[in-house]
Amino acid sequence: MITKDKKILIVGLGLMGGSYAAALTKAGFEVGAVTRSQHSIDFAIRNGIIRHGSIEIEAGYVGRFDIIVFSLYPKTFTEWIEKYQKFFKSGALITDVTGVKGPIVEKIQHILRPDVEFVAAHPMCGKEVSGVENASADIFIGANYIVTPTEHNTEEAIEDCETLGRILGCTTISRLTPEYHDEIIGFLSQLTHCIAVSLMNCKDSKDLVRFTGDSFRDLTRIARINDSMWSELFLLNKTELLKQMDLFASQFSRMRNAVENGDTNTLKEMMKISTERRNYFNKI
C-alpha cells in the first residue's frame, strides 16, 4: 500500500521525471531526485518540485527511498540498474516511464535483486519541450496510464503501481502485457511521430508559415521531437513499428490509387470510416 510516509526517488529529472516529482510533491509525498545536472536539482528545490536531490549516486541517499521512478532513456535505465541496484533499499518498488517495454522489462527483471520488485508503467502524456523547467503536475490529469506486469510481479506491487498512476491524476488505468503494449504504442505513438517527422521533411516550411491553418499545425505538433530518445525507442521497437508503418503505407497507397483513378466511392468510404473511428477518441 502506498501511504504518505513512503519516500519517493525520481531518477532522471527531465520533463517527465520533473512532472512526476511535481505531482507527487503536490500530493504530499517526500520526493527526492538523482540527476546529472546540479542546475536541475537547484531549480527543482527552489520551485518546490522536490525536497532534496543529488548529482551523485550514493548508497546512503538512494537507500533511503521506498519507491523509485526511473525517467531515463531505455539503455541508460538498464545500465543504471546493473551498476547501482546494490544501493536499493530492501523491499523497494521500482517503476519507470519508458516508452518501450518488451526489450526492457524482461532484462531488468532478470538481473534485478530478488528483494526488489520492478513493475513497468507508461503514462500516456508529455509535451514537445524538455527539461525540468517545463515540468508540470497537470500533464497527468485525465491521462491514460498503462501498467505492464509479468508473472514475476506480485499483485500487491502491481496494485501499488496502479495507485501511483491514480495519485498522479491519471484516470484510465490499464494492464497490458509488455508485448501488447509495444504493439499499440507502435501504432498510437511511434507511427504518429514517424508521420509527423516525415511530413516536415517533405518541404522546407519556413515560407509556408504565413499560409498554414490549424490542420497542419495540429498534425505536426509532435514533429518537434527529441531525436536521441525517439530514435532509440524506434529501433528498440523495430519489429512492431515496421508492421505499423507497412499498415499505414498500404492505406496511404489505397488512397493515392483512388485519387489517381478518380475513384470517388473509395475516397468516401475511407473518409466515412475515418470519421467514425476518430469519434471514439473525442473527449467528453
Side-chain angles (χ1 to χ4, degrees):
M1 172 183 278
I2 298 182
T3 54
K4 292 294 177 64
D5 62 325
K6 300 288 187 182
K7 295 179 175 61
I8 303 177
L9 176 68
I10 309 297
V11 180
L13 200 60
L15 172 69
M16 288 303 297
S19 297
Y20 257 79
L24 293 169
T25 294
K26 184 178 180 180
F29 290 89
E30 179 181 338
V31 180
V34 170
T35 199
R36 294 182 297 178
S37 167
Q38 186 63 51
H39 170 77
S40 295
I41 295 290
D42 294 342
F43 178 90
I45 293 174
R46 187 168 61 249
N47 289 275
I49 294 173
I50 58 174
R51 188 177 301 183
H52 41 70
S54 175
I55 60 172
E56 304 294 335
I57 305 171
E58 298 174 333
Y61 188 64
V62 175
R64 294 166 54 182
F65 295 93
D66 306 288
I67 300 170
I68 304 178
V69 179
F70 284 87
S71 181
L72 302 173
Y73 292 4
K75 292 179 182 177
T76 305
F77 178 24
T78 303
E79 291 167 359
W80 205 104
I81 295 293
E82 290 175 329
K83 190 171 182 179
Y84 298 113
Q85 64 167 302
K86 59 188 176 184
F87 296 157
F88 292 155
K89 180 179 184 179
S90 182
L93 170 66
I94 68 173
T95 187
D96 69 329
V97 305
T98 312
V100 173
K101 299 305 183 190
I104 303 301
V105 176
E106 182 179 356
K107 183 172 183 179
I108 289 180
Q109 289 186 336
H110 178 71
I111 64 175
L112 193 63
R113 287 165 34 189
D115 61 331
V116 176
E117 191 162 351
F118 170 47
V119 182
H122 186 189
M124 298 299 295
C125 56
K127 296 180 180 180
E128 288 68 57
V129 288
S130 61
V132 68
E133 296 85 359
N134 294 298
S136 171
D138 294 337
I139 68 171
F140 302 105
I141 304 301
N144 296 323
Y145 183 84
I146 301 172
V147 180
T148 60
T150 73
E151 67 276 8
H152 300 293
N153 291 127
T154 63
E155 181 62 27
E156 180 182 3
I158 298 169
E159 291 177 359
D160 281 349
C161 190
E162 292 173 336
T163 297
L164 191 65
R166 294 187 185 96
I167 292 169
L168 292 172
C170 300
T171 50
T172 301
I173 313 293
S174 302
R175 292 190 191 186
L176 304 179
T177 65
E179 294 75 21
Y180 187 48
H181 167 276
D182 289 356
E183 177 186 341
I184 65 168
I185 292 305
F187 179 74
L188 291 173
S189 179
Q190 294 180 345
L191 175 62
T192 53
H193 282 79
C194 288
I195 294 169
V197 169
S198 297
L199 187 57
M200 294 307 302
N201 273 266
C202 288
K203 292 180 184 290
D204 184 346
S205 55
K206 183 178 180 180
D207 292 334
L208 301 179
V209 174
R210 294 178 295 155
F211 316 123
T212 191
D214 288 342
S215 58
F216 189 83
R217 280 191 289 265
D218 290 347
L219 190 58
T220 58
R221 176 183 60 82
I222 56 174
R224 294 177 59 193
I225 194 167
N226 181 328
D227 56 289
S228 296
M229 181 183 74
W230 281 95
S231 58
E232 184 174 326
L233 292 174
F234 284 180
L235 294 179
L236 281 171
N237 202 32
K238 177 180 177 179
T239 300
E240 282 300 335
L241 179 55
L242 287 173
K243 290 179 183 177
Q244 306 310 322
M245 294 173 81
D246 289 344
L247 178 63
F248 176 79
S250 68
Q251 290 299 314
F252 193 82
S253 294
R254 182 184 176 206
M255 178 168 281
R256 187 191 185 285
N257 290 336
V259 171
E260 183 176 33
N261 298 323
D263 185 350
T264 302
N265 289 335
T266 295
L267 288 174
K268 285 184 175 181
E269 178 190 355
M270 293 184 73
M271 291 174 185
K272 287 177 181 177
I273 291 173
S274 171
T275 300
E276 178 183 346
R277 292 179 178 176
R278 182 58 180 83
N279 285 337
Y280 300 154
F281 295 85
N282 292 342
K283 291 186 177 181
I284 298 174

